[in-house]
Amino acid sequence: MARAHWGCCPWLVILCAYAWGYPEPPDLGREDVRNCSINPPYLPVTVVNTTVRLTALRQQLQTQNLSAYIIPDTDAHMSEYLGTADKRHSWITGFTGSAGTAVVTMEKATLWTDSRYWTQAERQMDCNWELHKQVGATPIATWLLTEIPAGGRVGFDPFLLSIDSWNSYDLALQGSDRQLVSITVNLVDLVWGSERPVLPSQPIYALQEAFTGSTWQEKVSDIRSQMQKHSKAPTAVLLSSLDETAWLFNLRSSDIPYNPFFYSYTLLTDSAIRLFVNESRFSSETLTYLNSSCTGSMCVQLEDYSQVRDSVQAYASGDVRIWIGTSYTTYGIYEVIPKEKLVTDTYSPVMVTKAVKNSKEQALLKASHVRDAVAVIRYLVWLEKNVPKGTVDEFSGAEMVEKFRGEEEFSSGPSFETISASGLNAALAHYSPTKELNRKLSTDEMYLLDSGGQYWDGTTDITRTVHWGTPSAFQKEAYTRVLIGNIDLSRLVFPAATSGRLMEAFARRALWNVGLNYGHGTGHGIGNFLGVHEWPVGFHSSAVAMDKGMFTSIEPGYYEDGEFGIRIEDVVLVVEAETKYPGTYLTFEVVSLVPYDRNLIDVSLLSPEHLQYLNLYYQTIREKVGPELLRRQLLEEHEWLQQHTEPLSARAPGPASLAFLLTASALAILGWSA
C-alpha cells in the first residue's frame, strides 16, 4: 500500500518481522560513516549542525530541573504522517527518517532507530549525537538508568507519548529512584521558537452529501446508541485520532501530508457534542452545517483546540464515565481522567464503526478504484513506450503517475509517498526516490510501483511489479509464487468473525513451500477519502475480526537483497460467500482493477483454479475499466488492456495464429459468450 502500510509500513516493518520470528538484522560490522574521533571530525556534507539547538534545549532542562528529555517521532494524535510543525525529533537531531526516538541529557544526545535508517542517520547527524541501533521504550529506559543518577528526573511531553509507551517507561523506571515528569509545554517547541513552522490554517470543509455514506447526525446517533447499550454505561466518548473526527462530522482539510485530516479532538457526550478545533478555519457555511449556533444535543459546540485537556479534566470531575480507545489516546489526556471514570477499549467505537462501510460507501470506494485503474494503466502504457528510450528514472516515473492521477475526476492528491523502485532499489520495501537520488528504469530490470490516490469518494493503494525484458527463471518463479499467495488469500472462504492474523499464512504458503518469505505485513484497512492505512482492519495481530463491508489490502511480496523486489497489492472488500452448506461465511472481492504482468507469470506453477480465478478477474477488469477507457477516447490504453487481459492458458504461449483458439477455449471453459 504505501510508504507506511501494513504490506509496507515503514514504522511497523520491524515489528512485523519480529512477529514472524525473524531475528533483528545484524550490524554486519558496518562502520559509522562519520569519524568523530579526529579533529576536526570527518562528517558527510549532509549532516546538520545541532550544537546551538542542543545548548538551548539543555538550558530548558536546567530550568525544569530535568536530567533527561524524551523526544518521540509522534504528534498528539499518534498520526502515521507528521505535519511539518510536529517534526520535532527531525529538527533537534537533523535526522529526517520516519522512525526514531531522541533522548537528550546534560552530557549526551542519543537517537534510537531501526536498521532501515542507520546509514541515513549517520549521514544526517553531527558528532553531538550517538546512534543506538534499537527500537522501543525498554532499551531507552535501560540506557537512562545507566546515564542519569538516582534522584534524576526524566521529562516528556505527555501529548507525544501513547498510554502504552508511558506504561513501558514507568514500569522500567519504577523502584529506581528516577522519576518520569510530564511537562505539557514542549521544550523543543520553546527552543525552536519563531523558526517552527506555523500550524495549518487552510479551511476545514464539509464533504458533499454525494461523497458520504451517512450524515454526521446519523453517525452521532449511532455512537450514542452504542454508549447506551454498553455494559459500563459510558456518558461520553473521547476521540483523539484525527480520522475519527473527520469521519464523524464528514469534514476534511489538509493538515497532515497525504491525509485529508485537521487537528482536532471530539468529546461526544450523551447530551452534547464538543469539537476542539481552530474555529477561524470554518466558513459561515460550515458553521451552519454543524449547527454551531444552537444549544441542543445535536448541535456542535466549538472549543479551542488547545483547551481539550482542561475541558476533559473539568468534565471528568462530574459523575461521568469516559470511553476511550487506548491505541490513539495520548497520556496527556489519559492522565487527567480518574481511572475509575475510564471505560477503555483498544479502539474507540468510532474507529471500529467506520471500519465497516455501508452500501453507499462501498459503491463510492469501488468507483474511485475504476478511475484509479485508468490512471495506472495510462502510466504503464507510457512506461512501455518510454523506458526503452532510456528517458525515465524512478523520480520522473513517480511524478508521471501522480500527474495521471491528478487528471482523474475528484482527485485530491496522492495517498502516500509513491514507491517507484527499479532493480536493486525494489529490494528495499519502503524505498522512495528523490529528484537528486534515483535510478534509471531499464528493460533489463524489474520495476516496482506502489502508489495510491486520494479522491473525494475513496482512497486507493495498488502495487504492480513489471519487467519489460527477459526475466530470469528465478524472478518468474518468485513473482508467480507471490501472485499465487495473493490469489490464495483473495479467494479464501472463511467463517464470519475470523481474525485476519489466522488467515495471513495463506498469502505466504506458496513462498514458504520453497523456502522464501517476506518480512512485512500482508494487509491494512483503507478509508473513504481518509487514511490509506486505516486501523483496525488487516491481517496483523491487533486487527479486529473480519466483517462484511470492510476493505483491506492484500499484498504479499518477495525481496532479493541487492537484486530485485516483488510486491503485488490489491484492495479487497469483505463480502458474503456462497457455500454448499448453510452457514455464515465470508470471502473477498477484489476492487483493484489493473492486470498483472504476464511477462513474469510462469503458468506452469498455476493450478486450474488459479487460472480460472485470473481469467475471471481479467474479465471483470475488461467489463469495468474498458468502457471508461473508451468513453474517454483512450484507445491506445484500451488496446493495451485487451492484450493484457487475454485469458491465460496452462499451455505455453503458442504462435500468434493460435491466440484466437486459446481465447475461445478459455471462454468456453468459463461459460462466457464470445
Side-chain angles (χ1 to χ4, degrees), residues 72 143 466 540:
W143 182 85
V466 297
H540 41 90

Side-chain angles (χ1 to χ4, degrees), residues 493-495 577-586:
V493 175
F494 53 92
E578 294 183 5
T579 54
K580 181 178 179 180
Y581 300 104
T584 306
Y585 285 80
L586 303 174

Side-chain angles (χ1 to χ4, degrees), residues 236-239 265-269 272-274 276 312 315 322:
V237 172
L238 175 66
L239 306 179
Y265 293 92
T266 297
L267 184 65
L268 173 62
T269 77
I273 309 168
R274 300 161 73 176
F276 299 86
V312 170
Y315 177 78
I322 304 175

Side-chain angles (χ1 to χ4, degrees), residues 89-101:
H89 84 294
S90 294
W91 182 81
I92 197 67
T93 66
F95 165 65
T96 60
S98 64
T101 299

Side-chain angles (χ1 to χ4, degrees), residues 28-106:
L28 301 179
R30 190 179 51 75
E31 295 182 358
D32 195 325
V33 299
R34 303 171 295 175
N35 188 344
C36 297
S37 63
I38 60 176
N39 189 20
Y42 167 75
L43 294 172
V45 296
T46 49
V47 301
V48 175
N49 188 332
T50 62
T51 300
V52 173
R53 300 173 186 180
L54 285 171
T55 299
L57 180 59
R58 286 176 172 133
Q59 290 173 350
Q60 293 294 333
L61 265 65
Q62 286 183 316
T63 300
Q64 298 284 345
N65 190 26
L66 298 176
S67 304
Y69 190 64
I70 301 171
I71 308 161
D73 59 337
T74 58
D75 67 5
H77 307 275
M78 302 289 108
S79 301
E80 177 183 358
Y81 293 98
L82 299 183
T84 54
D86 286 316
K87 294 183 177 180
R88 299 174 179 91
H89 84 294
S90 294
W91 182 81
I92 197 67
T93 66
F95 165 65
T96 60
S98 64
T101 299
V103 178
V104 176
T105 69
M106 295 305 296

Side-chain angles (χ1 to χ4, degrees), residues 493-621:
V493 175
F494 53 92
T498 299
S499 170
R501 65 182 177 84
L502 297 179
M503 60 183 84
E504 198 249 18
F506 282 89
R508 299 178 184 267
R509 182 174 57 180
L511 291 164
W512 284 352
N513 284 342
V514 292
L516 303 178
N517 206 351
Y518 54 94
H520 56 67
T522 296
H524 56 84
I526 194 163
N528 278 74
F529 191 30
L530 287 167
V532 74
H533 307 128
E534 185 172 86
W535 294 71
V537 178
F539 300 96
H540 41 90
S541 59
S542 57
V544 295
M546 291 289 178
D547 196 1
K548 186 174 68 172
M550 291 179 172
F551 284 85
T552 181
S553 70
I554 292 178
E555 47 185 305
Y558 175 73
Y559 309 91
E560 185 71 14
D561 188 33
E563 294 188 29
F564 63 88
I566 300 165
R567 187 161 59 253
I568 299 174
E569 176 185 18
D570 293 309
V571 172
V572 299
L573 168 64
V574 183
V575 297
E576 287 187 12
E578 294 183 5
T579 54
K580 181 178 179 180
Y581 300 104
T584 306
Y585 285 80
L586 303 174
T587 188
F588 299 110
E589 174 190 342
V590 180
V591 300
S592 300
L593 297 168
V594 177
Y596 311 118
D597 186 11
R598 302 170 77 90
N599 192 34
L600 282 166
I601 298 175
D602 182 350
V603 294
S604 69
L605 296 175
L606 300 177
S607 69
E609 291 79 11
H610 292 137
L611 283 168
Q612 182 183 42
Y613 174 93
L614 277 173
N615 289 331
L616 287 170
Y617 174 56
Y618 281 175
Q619 181 69 9
T620 299
I621 294 176

Side-chain angles (χ1 to χ4, degrees), residues 396-410:
S396 65
E399 287 187 316
M400 185 57 69
V401 74
E402 290 179 12
K403 174 182 179 294
F404 285 137
R405 277 199 173 94
E407 295 171 359
E408 291 301 315
E409 192 175 20
F410 311 138

